[in-house]
Amino acid sequence: TWDLNEMKGAILIPLFFIILVSVVECSIKIVEPPIFKEAFQNKVIKNSFANYGKVPYGSRIAGRAFYYGNFSTGCKRFDNIVIEREGEPDDDFSPIILVERGMCPFAKKSKNIQNLGGALAIIVDNVEDNDPENVIMIDDGTGSSIAIPTILISKSDGNIIKAEIQRTEEAHKNPSLQKEFVVLEVEFEIAKPDDRVEYDIWYTSGELKSLEFFKNIQQYNERLGKHALVTPHIQVNRCNRCSQKEINDDCISYSYPKVVYCAPPVKAGNITGKDSLRMGIKEICIYKAYINENNGAVWWKFMQESYQCKNTRYSLACVEGAMKRANVDKYRVTVCEDDDQKILDDDYSIMQSAGIVYNPAVVINRQVYRGAIDAENIFRTICAGFNVTPDVCEPDYDPITKQRTEKSNSIKASTIVILIAVLILINVLLIYCYRRYSRREIKEEMQIQISSMMTQYFAISDNKEVKPINTQTFHSYMLS
């Protein structure tokens, strides 16, 4: 039932994996048309996420659904296709594109949908009666450039939605009918048990992706502080039919009970699987010794200091040097390392229960994270897992001052006082200027009246002898 092109892109999860940990999923609701919505009202559309793309946990995407028959698989570019804006539920243009599974890797379909302008890719399974929750869409190596989320739904659910899209679009050809559009709402849920988020990181010590992820996630863990608790785990496999060379290079064997644990392939210099397991055990033991002291600062420091030790195959000198620089007391770690089989037993059992199949992997509030394993994405998802979002998750939080900055739309009391003072000063100046202007106008008017009266006086006197008039006295008289 598998396409050859998809063999590396999807993995079936046995049902017994889902015991202690569940997989993060979303709820898909039909918004329009009303009759179609009513038919799906009590139906759960099962789905699963791809492990690439930026999944907006804690939020939703609502948009008109499209299915293009000539591009049914999404394996080729959607040339000459322009997405219609008519029928969008709100001002946020979020088209949802459906394509069918098969013929090419999942990531290629998602990339073509993203290039078209889609906000969400929905891939309809091509296997009858296949539960999409048991399928993981794994990145084929090209998913780093994909920003939109991708989900897989069953063939039966997908066919019903596709048929409704085709029915409404066919009805658009009849101008006498009111236009209807298929609108979906997809809500990306994350568990919110309390006010502290617990997240687990599954990794392979020495593996490049794991090392880079730890380097990038540390700043966000420091920002979260007491609001989050991280727990590291070693990715480990059991080997029942290993050659002696494989056991010598990549595995650790135990005699009672007889079991062989091996590390996943390590792509970092000359590190062997055995080197990776030994170093991973040491990292877990340092974590256990110091996690309750200053939010595990010593462990984070050791992870940072030991980064370069991969180049020496984790030589004793390099590792002990990193422990010294991180202030690790090796005697506090020795007892834990002596019980290394228990660490591998526990992590292997939990890994199987959680269904961890890719590296690195993250579990948040007992839900397996799906989407791009990127430090910023993980941080945003963790923030979506709080009952009450702490200040450290707010966009205006300053990690240097450890405070939220003043919002631009808020006005401080001091600002209000200054504004009032400025307004008073402006009013005083206006009154002063008005009074000066009024006095000048009155004075000029009086001068005009005096001159007029003097002219009239001289005209009456005519030929009579006129005594000189003291204009100052006359002016004083007129003003009295």
Side-chain angles (χ1 to χ4, degrees):
T1 61
W2 293 85
D3 298 322
L4 293 177
N5 288 327
E6 291 188 85
M7 287 294 287
K8 60 181 179 182
I11 296 178
L12 289 176
I13 306 175
L15 292 177
F16 64 84
F17 277 4
I18 315 301
I19 300 174
L20 300 176
V21 180
S22 63
V23 176
V24 188
E25 58 185 29
C26 63
S27 64
I28 304 175
K29 299 178 182 177
I30 308 296
V31 179
E32 297 285 347
I35 296 177
F36 190 49
K37 174 184 177 180
E38 186 177 348
F40 262 84
Q41 194 160 8
N42 298 319
K43 181 174 176 57
V44 176
I45 302 177
K46 290 187 175 182
N47 60 83
S48 66
F49 296 164
N51 79 321
Y52 55 80
K54 296 181 179 179
V55 180
Y57 289 103
S59 61
R60 67 182 183 89
I61 293 177
R64 179 181 166 186
F66 297 86
Y67 173 72
Y68 302 104
N70 294 334
F71 302 87
S72 59
T73 63
C75 292
K76 59 183 180 179
R77 293 176 58 87
F78 291 82
D79 292 332
N80 302 320
I81 295 292
V82 177
I83 301 177
E84 298 177 4
R85 287 182 173 269
E86 188 178 9
E88 278 293 320
D90 48 42
D91 294 333
D92 184 18
F93 185 53
S94 305
I96 299 171
I97 314 299
L98 278 74
V99 295
E100 297 167 0
R101 180 181 173 185
M103 305 301 292
C104 66
F106 295 113
K108 186 173 183 179
K109 300 172 187 285
S110 303
K111 186 65 179 291
N112 287 335
I113 291 173
Q114 176 177 279
N115 291 339
L116 174 63
L120 171 67
I122 295 182
I123 298 178
V124 179
D125 205 348
N126 60 354
V127 181
E128 292 285 355
D129 301 324
N130 196 22
D131 188 346
E133 293 180 351
N134 294 337
V135 180
I136 298 178
M137 294 181 286
I138 291 183
D139 182 8
D140 65 348
T142 63
S144 59
S145 61
I146 298 173
I148 65 171
T150 301
I151 60 178
L152 179 78
I153 63 175
S154 69
K155 183 175 182 178
S156 57
D157 288 338
N159 285 344
I160 294 172
I161 297 173
K162 286 191 304 179
E164 182 65 11
I165 293 173
Q166 291 171 330
R167 183 195 69 78
T168 55
E169 290 182 350
E170 187 66 26
H172 293 172
K173 298 176 183 179
N174 188 342
S176 64
L177 296 177
Q178 183 179 357
K179 284 190 174 182
E180 291 183 315
F181 305 94
V182 175
V183 177
L184 307 178
E185 180 181 279
V186 182
E187 188 171 355
F188 300 89
E189 302 165 343
I190 186 76
K192 299 181 180 183
D194 50 39
D195 292 331
R196 186 179 79 164
V197 171
E198 298 179 3
Y199 69 106
D200 301 66
I201 301 175
W202 296 85
Y203 73 103
T204 300
S205 186
E207 201 274 329
L208 289 177
K209 285 186 177 179
S210 296
L211 291 171
E212 288 297 321
F213 178 69
F214 268 108
K215 284 178 63 177
N216 296 330
I217 197 65
Q218 183 176 357
Q219 61 175 315
Y220 293 109
N221 189 80
E222 291 175 357
R223 177 169 171 170
L224 289 163
K226 65 180 181 180
H227 299 289
L229 174 65
V230 60
T231 304
H233 301 273
I234 305 171
Q235 285 211 4
V236 61
N237 300 315
R238 278 184 179 175
C239 186
N240 297 321
R241 297 180 181 178
C242 293
S243 66
Q244 192 59 46
K245 184 179 185 309
E246 288 174 320
I247 294 175
N248 293 339
D249 292 343
D250 298 320
C251 308
I252 298 176
S253 60
Y254 298 93
S255 56
Y256 186 79
K258 186 172 179 59
V259 63
V260 177
Y261 286 116
C262 304
V266 181
K267 299 176 182 178
N270 297 319
I271 295 177
T272 65
K274 183 169 290 186
D275 297 331
S276 174
L277 286 177
R278 289 296 182 195
M279 186 60 180
I281 291 168
K282 185 177 292 292
E283 290 165 350
I284 297 299
C285 287
I286 293 174
Y287 166 85
K288 290 183 176 182
Y290 289 96
I291 187 55
N292 293 322
E293 299 177 14
N294 194 19
N295 202 32
V298 170
W299 174 71
W300 282 106
K301 178 68 172 174
F302 174 74
M303 296 295 288
Q304 185 182 43
E305 292 291 340
S306 64
Y307 180 80
Q308 298 301 327
C309 291
K310 69 181 187 302
N311 299 325
T312 67
R313 285 187 57 184
Y314 293 118
S315 66
L316 181 62
C318 184
V319 173
E320 288 188 345
M323 292 174 68
K324 185 176 180 180
R325 291 190 296 275
N327 295 319
V328 175
D329 182 352
K330 63 180 181 181
Y331 296 106
R332 291 180 62 176
V333 179
T334 302
V335 175
C336 172
E337 288 185 288
D338 289 341
D339 199 11
D340 57 341
Q341 183 175 352
K342 185 177 186 307
I343 293 174
L344 297 180
D345 285 341
D346 291 346
D347 279 356
Y348 176 79
S349 297
I350 300 173
M351 179 177 167
Q352 298 304 300
S353 298
I356 302 297
V357 293
Y358 48 89
N359 184 23
V362 179
V363 175
I364 301 175
N365 285 346
R366 292 185 174 272
Q367 289 183 299
V368 180
Y369 170 88
R370 296 282 175 81
I373 304 295
D374 172 85
E376 184 177 356
N377 292 340
I378 298 300
F379 171 70
R380 294 185 186 282
T381 306
I382 289 172
C383 286
F386 291 104
N387 264 334
V388 178
T389 305
D391 286 349
V392 295
C393 290
E394 299 296 341
D396 60 352
Y397 179 81
D398 186 347
I400 298 177
T401 62
K402 299 187 183 303
Q403 292 180 343
R404 295 181 64 181
T405 57
E406 292 289 342
K407 292 183 178 292
S408 58
N409 60 347
S410 62
I411 303 176
K412 296 188 290 185
S414 59
T415 305
I416 295 175
V417 172
I418 293 172
L419 287 173
I420 293 173
V422 170
L423 289 173
I424 292 173
L425 179 60
I426 291 172
N427 277 291
V428 170
L429 288 172
L430 288 173
I431 293 170
Y432 173 75
C433 293
Y434 175 74
R435 292 186 65 181
R436 288 201 60 181
Y437 172 78
S438 298
R439 285 181 178 180
R440 188 176 64 183
E441 285 290 308
I442 292 171
K443 186 175 181 181
E444 289 177 354
E445 182 66 25
M446 293 298 296
Q447 289 286 359
I448 292 171
Q449 290 183 16
I450 292 170
S451 299
S452 176
M453 291 179 68
M454 289 179 65
T455 302
Q456 292 176 13
Y457 174 78
F458 284 116
I460 294 170
S461 299
D462 195 19
N463 295 325
K464 294 181 180 180
E465 184 181 353
V466 180
K467 293 181 180 181
I469 296 177
N470 188 325
T471 56
Q472 184 174 358
T473 304
F474 183 76
H475 184 251
S476 300
Y477 172 76
M478 292 296 296
L479 290 176
S480 60

